[in-house]
Amino acid sequence: MDARAILARLRRREVPEEAELRWFAQGLADHGVSDAQAGAFAMAVCMGDLGAAGRTALTLAMRDSGEVLQWDLDGPVVDKHSTGGVGDCVSLILAPALAECGAYVPMISGRGLGHTGGTLDKLEAIPGLSTAVPHDLLPALVQKAGCVIAGASARIAPADKRLYAVRDVTGTVESLDLITASILSKKLAEAPDALVLDVKVGSGAFMKTMEEARALARALSDTSNAAGCKTTALITDMSQPLAPALGNAVEIDAVMQVLTGQATGPLAALTAELGGQVLADAGLAEDAAAGAAKVAAVIADGRAAERFGRMIAAQGGPLGFVEDWARFLPEATVMHEVTAREAGYVTAIDGEALGLAVVDLGGGRQVESDVVDPAVGLSNVIRLGDRVEKGIPLAMIHAAREDAARRAEAVVRAAITLGDAPAPPPDLIRERLGG
């Protein structure tokens, strides 16, 4: 085959054949396709529409450009993917909870992207823990601990790694076909029996409107189901941070409070909803409601916390982390409370602005080479609908320097809107699609 012929078909708004997409994906992986051809491919797909069948074919071609994991386990393999939000640390609670419910969870996760935090960065706030699990050891570690949260090795969907880098510099990131293939090529390489997708919508998400979120949720769920993986997408609210904390160590603290029964709220509720859906889709629960009850039960009785501790230890973290997590987590040198200058009800929260404030504090990356400071972030963030009086805290800033804390304070104040009347609380789950 010839890359130029495939590009010519795309230029004519024709969808390449499955064999052609497989050839091109393999060329991305082994560099048989040049950077110029990769860029032209990304732009052509971005400007056109592969359709449902073409999107599925590209996803599977990119998955098969590397290795697909194989399992010999006594339970189903499941996973979850979130499209990204602020204060979204569901994965860290969900993985051990699902393992306690009889599933195996090889969760391949990513780093922070833009204003959203990364699961791997959060986990690495725990001293000694490594998310760089060697590809050959992943199955054994999953069997031993029941769940693993790790980064993708170079052997998982290498075509995606190459194409993503090209997309980033050619302005072709915002393509539904390419987004779908990128996300699912890595998830389907895990060979899961069931997958649940958390598609965020709102101020703290990449998708700001229901129309955008619904289009992505349908593309992801339809493609994954067409690829043979039972998949349901939940469109969930991100009009405010999911947890009352944004950052790395501070979100680990929020996770541990849920796992040890010291906190409830939206983070715990969404974990149960997502877990319940994937348990039902994997045949481990009668329906999503029954599955959610199972997830809530293993969190409430401490079994999920114990499983989390086993996963942490298996990945090199401290043995006694669950029992005394605060002793291990890094702390910021500057703690600065942001208080309300007037009374009112919290009517809006700009989650993206808060996420970018954390990046500016050093809790995320402005360029790929930046080193993340795990200690910085925001905690005790006020919730939508809360009534505040003058002088009441809106958030706590964790910073490395006073000047950084002052910059963050200005952003926090601008991001939180107060009004005279309370706004109706947003629904946590907006829609379910697929399954």
Side-chain angles (χ1 to χ4, degrees):
M1 294 187 188
D2 189 309
R4 292 169 296 181
I6 296 171
L7 294 171
R9 292 195 65 174
L10 286 166
R11 190 175 64 248
R12 295 192 299 268
R13 299 293 192 268
E14 298 173 4
V15 178
E17 300 290 338
E18 180 181 347
E20 292 176 312
L21 291 171
R22 285 188 170 275
W23 180 90
F24 201 93
Q26 192 57 49
L28 288 169
D30 62 19
H31 289 264
V33 166
S34 71
D35 287 346
Q37 290 167 333
F41 178 86
M43 185 61 72
V45 172
C46 190
M47 298 293 289
D49 181 7
L50 292 180
R55 189 181 302 131
T56 301
L58 177 61
T59 299
L60 292 176
M62 289 171 61
R63 179 200 68 179
D64 294 340
S65 68
E67 294 186 19
V68 177
L69 295 173
Q70 298 182 353
W71 306 104
D72 182 17
L73 301 167
D74 58 3
V77 174
V78 305
D79 198 4
K80 162 258 182 188
H81 176 79
S82 169
T83 58
V86 290
D88 178 13
C89 39
V90 165
S91 294
L92 303 177
I93 307 169
L94 184 59
L98 290 173
E100 276 301 314
C101 291
Y104 289 90
V105 190
M107 192 174 283
I108 293 177
S109 298
R111 305 262 173 210
L113 180 64
H115 65 279
T116 67
T119 298
L120 300 183
D121 297 322
K122 295 168 193 179
L123 262 185
E124 289 173 355
I126 301 173
L129 185 142
S130 173
T131 60
V133 177
H135 183 85
D136 294 338
L137 298 183
L138 185 62
L141 204 56
V142 170
Q143 186 165 36
K144 175 183 177 182
C147 55
V148 171
I149 301 177
S153 78
R155 291 154 66 178
I156 295 293
D160 174 64
K161 184 174 183 180
R162 176 106 184 277
L163 189 59
Y164 192 90
V166 169
R167 288 167 58 206
D168 191 39
V169 298
T170 56
T172 54
V173 172
E174 304 300 324
S175 160
L176 201 59
D177 292 329
L178 296 178
I179 290 170
T180 299
S182 178
I183 290 172
L184 291 178
S185 60
K186 296 186 289 288
K187 286 297 178 183
L188 294 176
E190 300 171 6
D193 298 295
L195 176 64
V196 65
L197 302 165
D198 182 5
V199 180
K200 303 291 191 186
V201 62
S203 68
F206 288 108
M207 303 298 173
K208 307 298 185 188
T209 69
M210 276 298 295
E211 183 180 12
E212 293 173 324
R214 192 178 291 118
L216 179 57
R218 283 178 175 156
L220 288 168
S221 60
D222 289 352
T223 301
S224 190
N225 278 296
C229 177
K230 187 71 176 293
T231 303
T232 302
L234 276 64
I235 301 178
T236 70
D237 180 67
M238 187 43 72
S239 57
Q240 61 182 327
L242 184 61
L246 291 79
N248 296 304
V250 292
E251 287 191 50
I252 294 290
D253 179 73
V255 163
M256 295 312 303
Q257 290 189 43
V258 171
L259 283 172
T260 57
Q262 298 178 42
T264 55
L267 176 59
L270 184 57
T271 300
E273 290 287 345
L274 291 165
Q277 184 65 62
V278 79
L279 287 177
D281 286 346
L284 291 175
E286 183 178 351
D287 54 30
K294 291 180 71 171
V295 171
V298 299
I299 293 172
D301 66 16
R303 282 183 287 161
E306 190 275 336
R307 177 75 68 163
F308 184 73
R310 286 167 57 186
M311 183 188 79
I312 295 303
Q315 293 186 228
L319 290 174
F321 182 77
V322 170
E323 291 73 24
D324 192 13
W325 73 85
R327 179 168 68 92
F328 295 103
L329 292 176
E331 296 181 355
T333 55
V334 176
M335 303 288 287
H336 182 75
E337 195 173 66
V338 182
T339 57
R341 289 175 173 166
E342 58 185 3
Y345 293 92
V346 180
T347 58
I349 297 176
D350 186 342
E352 182 172 354
L354 294 181
L356 291 173
V358 173
V359 174
D360 185 62
L361 285 167
R365 296 174 184 81
Q366 298 189 23
V367 296
E368 189 175 352
S369 58
D370 283 351
V371 176
V372 169
D373 183 345
V376 302
L378 306 175
S379 66
N380 296 34
V381 180
I382 202 83
R383 307 294 298 173
L384 284 174
D386 284 357
R387 169 73 184 179
V388 299
E389 302 296 335
K390 184 177 179 180
I392 292 294
L394 300 175
M396 177 69 75
I397 296 170
H398 303 241
R401 302 181 312 278
E402 290 285 355
D403 63 326
R406 287 193 297 272
R407 289 198 307 273
E409 178 179 3
V411 175
V412 170
R413 290 192 183 283
I416 298 174
T417 302
L418 300 182
D420 295 331
D427 292 331
L428 188 60
I429 310 295
R430 304 284 188 90
E431 286 184 15
R432 295 176 192 250
L433 299 94

